């Protein structure tokens, strides 16, 4: 019996961002903030927050939360610029559409679910911006 499961957007998007942002020195992209992270290198963290499954059971709405961290809290420009760039890439950079990338299950960007990037106020030595992106994504058939 075959089932349809949601795609692993964390895995896909972390690899896709790594391959599309190659000019930021020391950039790390992953699915969680490393223990003891101090902002000494730029970091993008992608988290799939899930979502609903369509009535036909083959398409999934996926909400993705993304944190962009690094540099210092008192000098946010570099972090803000990288966050804006990430947002542009994830929501439809005209030359690099995430839905047409090899291995992508993204069918469409859902504009109402795309927000940010917002500065995060916290007691940390580094700067952080947060954004959400929502996709309609094809499920993966498993036997």
């Amino acid at each position: 019996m075959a089932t349809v499961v949601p795609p692993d957007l964390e895995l896909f998007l972390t690899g896709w961002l790594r391959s599309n942002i190659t000019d930021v020195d020391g950039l790390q992209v992953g699915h969680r903030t490393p223990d003891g992270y101090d902002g000494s290198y730029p970091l993008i963290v992608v988290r799939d927050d899930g979502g609903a499954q369509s009535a036909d059971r083959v398409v999934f709405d996926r909400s993705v939360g993304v944190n962009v961290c690094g540099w210092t809290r008192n000098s946010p420009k570099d972090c803000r610029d990288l966050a804006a760039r990430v947002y542009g890439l994830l929501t439809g950079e005209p030359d690099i559409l995430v839905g047409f990338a090899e291995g992508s299950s993204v069918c469409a960007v859902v504009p109402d679910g795309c927000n940010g990037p917002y500065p995060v106020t916290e007691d940390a030595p580094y700067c952080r911006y947060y954004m959400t992106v929502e996709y309609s994504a094809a499920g993966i058939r498993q036997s």
Side-chain angles (χ1 to χ4, degrees), residues 14-94:
T14 54
W16 188 77
L17 286 169
R18 263 187 227 107
S19 68
N20 282 286
I21 304 175
T22 59
D23 60 339
V24 177
D25 290 339
L27 178 65
Q28 299 291 311
V29 183
H31 67 275
R32 69 184 258 325
T33 304
D35 295 337
Y37 177 71
D38 63 2
S40 59
Y41 56 90
L43 174 68
I44 300 171
V45 178
V46 178
R47 183 189 69 230
D48 184 343
D49 291 332
Q53 186 176 16
S54 67
D56 62 9
R57 305 192 51 82
V58 297
V59 177
F60 293 81
D61 288 332
R62 306 310 289 175
S63 180
V64 176
V66 180
N67 284 288
V68 177
C69 309
W71 298 279
T72 66
R73 190 170 41 164
N74 295 330
S75 183
K77 181 163 178 19
D78 289 332
C79 190
R80 194 257 176 249
D81 289 351
L82 179 57
R85 184 174 173 191
V86 168
Y87 185 85
L89 285 168
L90 294 175
T91 60
E93 174 73 30

